[in-house]
Amino acid sequence: MKAAAENYMIKTVARAMDLLDQFREGEAEFGITDLSHRLKLEKNSVFRLVVTLAAKKYIELNNSTGKYRLGRQARALGQLAAAQIEYVNHARPVLNDLKQQCHETCYFSVNKDGYTYYLDGVESDLPVRVVQLVGKSRPLCCTAAGRVLLAFMEPQKLMNLLANSDTKGFTASTITDIDLLQNDLNKVA
């Protein structure tokens, strides 16, 4: 019997990754107390993680706010990861063509575990446009990109996903009822 991956995880490294994950959503900067509350860890533990990540340039202190934000190493690593993903490089010309045709922001996203992950995007030239979501993820049922992925999913896979997901709305417009969502997906298809 194989031991679970959790048995081999280094708790401190996992906590450092959890700390970095806090910068994915919402606010772009956090203080020690903010991070302590979000991570449910003692301030001293958070401080030590912050000092270590700051020393390695993965986060940095914004002197004007006194809060921490992602640092240059995190940005560089993200850019390198994006450049290494071959399919993103293939998607960019298609995204540019689509943008020229529709004059709207266009994204390339993939389905992973019930979420749509935005891997690349090109922004519209129009003054009013969708904010870039590259690097973020959202539940499939909460976004247009996610609903397209759902609409063309194999029926059995779709039913399994919907049956095992907790559909919560991000806005008042999010369809959370499974039957209504299925009807919407039929329209999308």
Side-chain angles (χ1 to χ4, degrees), residues 98-170:
L98 280 172
K99 183 187 98 169
Q100 293 305 318
Q101 291 175 34
C102 68
H103 305 288
E104 295 293 342
T105 300
C106 298
Y107 290 104
F108 173 61
S109 66
V110 296
N111 168 20
K112 178 77 172 150
D113 300 327
Y115 285 78
T116 183
Y117 286 84
Y118 295 93
L119 301 179
D120 195 15
V122 290
E123 228 175 63
S124 170
D125 297 324
L126 299 173
V128 178
R129 58 185 168 257
V130 174
V131 176
Q132 277 279 15
L133 293 172
V134 173
K136 300 202 184 252
S137 63
R138 299 283 186 268
L140 288 168
C141 67
C142 296
T143 67
R147 287 195 303 277
V148 168
L149 291 168
L150 287 171
F152 292 96
M153 191 177 283
E154 295 173 19
Q156 187 59 46
K157 190 174 180 182
L158 174 63
M159 294 313 294
N160 290 342
L161 183 68
L162 294 178
N164 295 319
S165 69
D166 183 20
T167 52
K168 294 180 183 172
F170 272 6

Side-chain angles (χ1 to χ4, degrees), residues 37-139:
H37 286 38
R38 293 173 73 97
L39 296 167
K40 296 178 178 53
L41 293 172
E42 296 291 326
K43 282 186 189 180
N44 185 44
S45 297
V46 171
F47 177 76
R48 291 172 61 202
L49 289 169
V50 164
V51 167
T52 303
L53 290 168
K56 293 294 192 178
K57 310 289 188 233
Y58 283 92
I59 61 174
E60 62 189 19
L61 179 65
N62 179 344
N63 290 323
S64 62
T65 63
K67 294 186 177 188
Y68 291 89
R69 60 185 175 205
L70 288 176
R72 67 176 180 254
Q73 282 297 101
R75 287 188 293 275
L77 200 57
Q79 290 169 345
L80 181 60
Q84 289 177 345
I85 300 173
E86 187 175 325
Y87 52 80
V88 171
N89 294 332
H90 292 298
R92 180 54 69 100
V94 175
L95 292 173
N96 284 324
D97 288 346
L98 280 172
K99 183 187 98 169
Q100 293 305 318
Q101 291 175 34
C102 68
H103 305 288
E104 295 293 342
T105 300
C106 298
Y107 290 104
F108 173 61
S109 66
V110 296
N111 168 20
K112 178 77 172 150
D113 300 327
Y115 285 78
T116 183
Y117 286 84
Y118 295 93
L119 301 179
D120 195 15
V122 290
E123 228 175 63
S124 170
D125 297 324
L126 299 173
V128 178
R129 58 185 168 257
V130 174
V131 176
Q132 277 279 15
L133 293 172
V134 173
K136 300 202 184 252
S137 63
R138 299 283 186 268

Side-chain angles (χ1 to χ4, degrees), residues 21-31 34 38 67-69 136:
D21 279 344
Q22 300 309 304
F23 294 94
R24 285 180 180 253
E25 303 293 333
E27 302 169 46
E29 297 184 351
F30 298 99
D34 300 327
R38 293 173 73 97
K67 294 186 177 188
Y68 291 89
R69 60 185 175 205
K136 300 202 184 252

